[in-house]
Amino acid sequence: MGAMPLTLDHLRRYAVARSLFRPTTLMRAIERLGFVQADPIRAPARAQDLTLRHRVVGYRAGDLERRYPRLPLEEDFFVNYGYLPRAHHALMHPRSERQAWTPARWKQAEQVRAFIAERGVVHPREVDARFAHGKTTNWFGGSSNASTQLLDGMHYRGLLRVARREGGTRLYALRDALAPVDPAAIDARMDALIDLIVAKYAPLPVASLRQLVGYLRYGVPQWEAARAPALERARGRLQRARVDGIDWLWPADERPDSRRWKAPERVHLLTPFDPVVWDRRRFELFWGWAYRFEAYTPAPRRKLGYYALPLLWRDRVVGWGNLSLTSGVLRAQLHYVDGDPPADAGFAAALEEELARMRAFLGLAD
């Protein structure tokens, strides 16, 4: 008797169960995820905290920022901006920017580097006060301190590291210089970086992996020519199957149809950047409706809300919630794809438990 064919149900359960693993320590959770995407919006907390609360025992909003200086972590850009274990971060450096700096810009950077060497750790306003670099146009078309943009560029190039944050602002320290990468080692590094992507987001449609590998042009712009060959190697070493006309990929040592993959019997309110829902292509294949992040969409055009949190029940995203804090009270506006909440036994109690967990995570009284 032949094996049962792999189905979309298998892939969906596998995706949810492997990502929402049993909660563990903060560092172990980040190592298992590979990296954690960050976002500054608080609705009702930052994305990195909303991601980690499901995967870290007793996690509270802000724990990552508070504990970061004592953990072997780095803030940096990978396929998106966030937090990585130092071993993963080192795979991308030394990094060279695609847009070269002028000699004058390098002179400014060297002056700032010498200033930071004297101080140890600096706030951007200290650099601005010392050098008065003036104003410049930022990525969003607004005005920013030129010193802040210079520090960002130095951090991106690996000249600085984020030592800690104060009120959400990055404070910088010097980063030890790294030796150039032997050209013979580039392919191995690219393979390791792609394996990190797959480990976090699997199972992936082939098109989604191609998209994410494309984002490596920001993490390792110096190896742009190595991306396409690395993608082809990955497609050769990963497990692959066609399900409902879509080619899917996942780590070679895992089986999506294994009985070990069981979705948790609970409700999860997920950040838009959670690995379960990050891939909008996969989201629509799994759950049959389009989820969009609308924080930057003009209010009259929003359909789901400013910061809609996908509402996962077992292995189904059945709706979304918009959460806010009013006078220390958590307000939850919940919406359902089918118009009404699931009639499954246990859903109402599981939802109340999730809202209680959210209140505890935010430090609110029950």
Side-chain angles (χ1 to χ4, degrees):
M1 185 175 180
M4 294 289 289
L6 189 66
T7 67
L8 201 60
D9 285 341
H10 289 131
L11 292 172
R12 181 173 54 245
R13 283 194 296 270
Y14 167 56
V16 172
R18 74 186 300 279
S19 183
L20 290 168
F21 47 81
R22 185 185 297 275
T24 181
T25 65
L26 176 56
M27 195 62 210
R28 286 177 180 171
I30 296 174
E31 287 173 340
R32 185 155 178 180
L33 288 168
F35 64 101
V36 177
Q37 184 171 353
D39 189 84
I41 296 175
R42 299 190 196 202
R46 294 189 181 105
Q48 53 269 36
D49 292 323
L50 290 168
T51 295
L52 290 167
R53 78 180 187 92
H54 298 295
R55 298 165 172 94
V56 177
V57 176
Y59 191 85
R60 298 293 181 264
D63 277 355
L64 176 58
E65 185 172 315
R66 285 188 287 271
R67 296 183 58 190
Y68 170 84
R70 302 188 301 278
L71 294 173
L73 294 173
E74 296 292 341
E75 284 193 41
D76 201 0
F77 205 101
F78 178 35
V79 292
N80 40 54
Y81 189 85
Y83 297 83
L84 304 90
R86 284 184 183 153
H88 299 167
H89 175 262
L91 292 170
M92 300 185 292
H93 289 275
R95 176 190 285 153
S96 58
E97 172 62 280
R98 289 181 296 173
Q99 183 176 357
W101 273 351
T102 64
R105 193 63 161 168
W106 274 111
K107 183 177 180 180
Q108 287 181 327
E110 288 303 321
Q111 291 171 341
V112 168
R113 187 174 169 81
F115 177 70
I116 296 174
E118 293 175 3
R119 297 296 184 95
V121 176
V122 300
H123 191 289
R125 65 169 171 259
E126 295 178 79
V127 176
D128 191 56
R130 171 65 177 81
F131 295 100
H133 290 135
K135 298 288 185 179
T136 188
T137 302
N138 60 30
W139 289 100
F140 303 102
S143 178
S144 295
N145 286 332
S147 294
T148 299
Q149 194 174 91
L150 176 61
L151 290 167
D152 287 345
M154 293 175 69
H155 174 220
Y156 182 77
R157 286 165 172 80
L159 303 173
L160 305 177
R161 64 177 301 271
V162 176
R164 64 178 187 273
R165 284 181 178 250
E166 286 185 1
T169 299
R170 290 178 290 198
L171 274 62
Y172 295 98
L174 295 188
R175 187 170 186 273
D176 294 337
L178 296 175
V181 178
D182 185 334
I186 292 173
D187 284 354
R189 290 200 180 197
M190 290 296 293
D191 290 347
L193 292 170
I194 292 177
D195 285 347
L196 283 175
I197 293 170
V198 175
K200 180 169 183 179
Y201 292 119
L204 280 162
V206 169
S208 296
L209 180 59
R210 187 183 304 116
Q211 174 187 349
L212 282 159
V213 172
Y215 290 169
L216 281 175
R217 65 183 178 273
Y218 303 114
V220 284
Q222 69 273 26
W223 299 330
E224 185 166 354
R227 279 192 289 113
L231 177 59
E232 287 307 306
R233 289 195 300 276
R235 293 175 65 171
R237 71 175 175 273
L238 297 171
Q239 287 290 325
R240 178 175 184 153
R242 177 168 283 245
V243 178
D244 295 347
I246 303 294
D247 288 324
W248 295 80
L249 299 167
W250 60 87
D253 60 349
E254 295 182 1
R255 287 187 52 191
D257 58 350
S258 170
R259 293 182 180 180
R260 65 173 286 207
W261 305 116
K262 295 181 180 179
E265 288 285 322
R266 58 189 284 183
V267 167
H268 296 82
L269 281 160
L270 303 171
T271 170
F273 305 105
D274 192 279
V276 173
V277 299
W278 182 91
D279 181 358
R280 307 301 189 241
R281 179 185 292 104
R282 190 181 78 167
F283 187 103
E284 292 190 39
L285 291 169
F286 279 169
W287 295 296
W289 60 282
Y291 170 76
R292 297 291 181 266
F293 178 58
E294 299 179 328
Y296 301 111
T297 301
R301 292 168 48 196
R302 291 178 191 147
K303 297 179 180 179
L304 305 181
Y306 172 72
Y307 200 84
L309 304 177
L311 180 64
L312 180 74
W313 166 229
R314 297 174 176 149
D315 68 340
R316 305 276 175 163
V317 178
V318 297
W320 65 95
N322 286 283
L323 274 59
S324 60
L325 291 174
T326 305
S327 301
V329 176
L330 181 67
R331 307 291 184 188
Q333 295 181 323
L334 303 176
H335 307 269
Y336 298 95
V337 177
D338 292 335
D340 296 305
D344 310 22
F347 172 77
L351 176 61
E352 286 305 312
E353 289 170 1
E354 170 66 342
L355 292 174
R357 287 191 293 270
M358 181 69 80
R359 287 191 288 270
F361 157 76
L362 296 169
L364 304 177
D366 238 348

